[in-house]
């Protein structure tokens, strides 16, 4: 599957990719946005003579059930594996995985997702900022940000 949002493409068209759906969140509205724009956040305090604006985009992501498409498929959603192509170097992206199983113990004990940015940083690395998570009924919403 692939989902296009401006210059960013979310993909799971590789072995074990489990992306089910992606929706872009607009900061200007309460409703999700599938448009082309991004939200600009001004840094503070501003430096005279330098107009510094950081691009920030937020996405809700849903995963397919574990082993989807095989005889071993079940209702669990224990992991996620997808890619994002495009975007300007340094742009911040926030990902909210909306439908993971309740795995708060893993994340509260220091487990972190691995990411890599190709072609800039080709080695896999753990995210630097601590992720957040929220349990809602049956699922856990897992959130983190990183710079492309």
């Amino acid at each position: 599957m692939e989902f296009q949002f401006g210059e960013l493409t979310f993909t799971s068209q590789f072995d074990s990719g489990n992306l089910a759906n992606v929706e872009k969140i607009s900061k200007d509205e309460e409703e999700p946005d599938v448009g082309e724009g991004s939200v600009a956040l001004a840094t503070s305090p501003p430096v005279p003579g330098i107009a510094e604006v950081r691009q920030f985009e937020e996405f809700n992501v849903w995963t397919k059930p574990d082993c989807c498409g095989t005889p071993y498929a079940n209702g669990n959603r224990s992991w996620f594996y997808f890619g994002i192509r495009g975007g300007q170097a340094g742009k911040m992206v926030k990902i909210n995985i909306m439908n993971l199983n309740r795995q708060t113990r893993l994340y509260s004990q220091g487990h972190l997702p691995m990411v890599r940015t190709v072609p800039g940083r080709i080695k896999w690395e753990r995210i630097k900022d601590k992720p957040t998570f929220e349990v809602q009924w049956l699922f856990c919403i897992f959130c983190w940000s990183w710079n492309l």
Side-chain angles (χ1 to χ4, degrees):
M1 296 200 119
E2 286 200 344
F3 300 89
Q4 182 79 35
F5 297 92
E7 58 188 14
L8 294 178
T9 302
F10 287 74
T11 184
S12 64
Q13 292 184 338
F14 47 83
D15 192 31
S16 299
N18 67 344
L19 194 60
N21 193 25
V22 179
E23 122 188 320
K24 183 175 178 182
I25 302 302
S26 171
K27 294 296 181 194
D28 297 333
E29 307 169 4
E30 292 295 319
E31 297 293 318
D33 182 15
V34 294
E36 297 286 326
S38 62
V39 178
L41 299 175
T43 60
S44 65
V47 177
I50 298 176
E52 188 175 337
V53 176
R54 184 167 71 178
Q55 296 295 319
F56 179 90
E57 294 188 84
E58 181 173 0
F59 297 91
N60 288 343
V61 174
W62 287 264
T63 61
K64 292 180 181 176
D66 293 356
C67 302
C68 185
T70 74
Y72 306 103
N74 57 51
N76 294 328
R77 287 167 174 86
S78 305
W79 54 278
F80 50 91
Y81 188 35
F82 59 90
I84 303 174
R85 288 192 309 264
Q88 295 176 310
K91 176 184 268 188
M92 182 173 279
V93 175
K94 180 178 180 188
I95 304 294
N96 306 312
I97 307 289
M98 302 301 291
N99 62 339
L100 287 179
N101 288 354
R102 297 173 129 197
Q103 299 181 38
T104 57
R105 184 174 301 177
L106 284 175
Y107 306 125
S108 66
Q109 294 179 357
H111 290 266
L112 299 171
M114 301 285 288
V115 297
R116 71 178 179 156
T117 305
V118 178
R121 297 179 305 230
I122 59 171
K123 289 187 176 182
W124 288 95
E125 58 186 294
R126 297 202 185 280
I127 61 171
K128 293 180 180 25
D129 297 327
K130 186 176 179 180
T132 61
F133 50 88
E134 173 185 342
V135 176
Q136 289 191 349
W137 196 51
L138 294 176
F139 293 111
C140 176
I141 299 173
F142 181 71
C143 309
W144 81 93
S145 300
W146 91 97
N147 291 328
L148 297 176

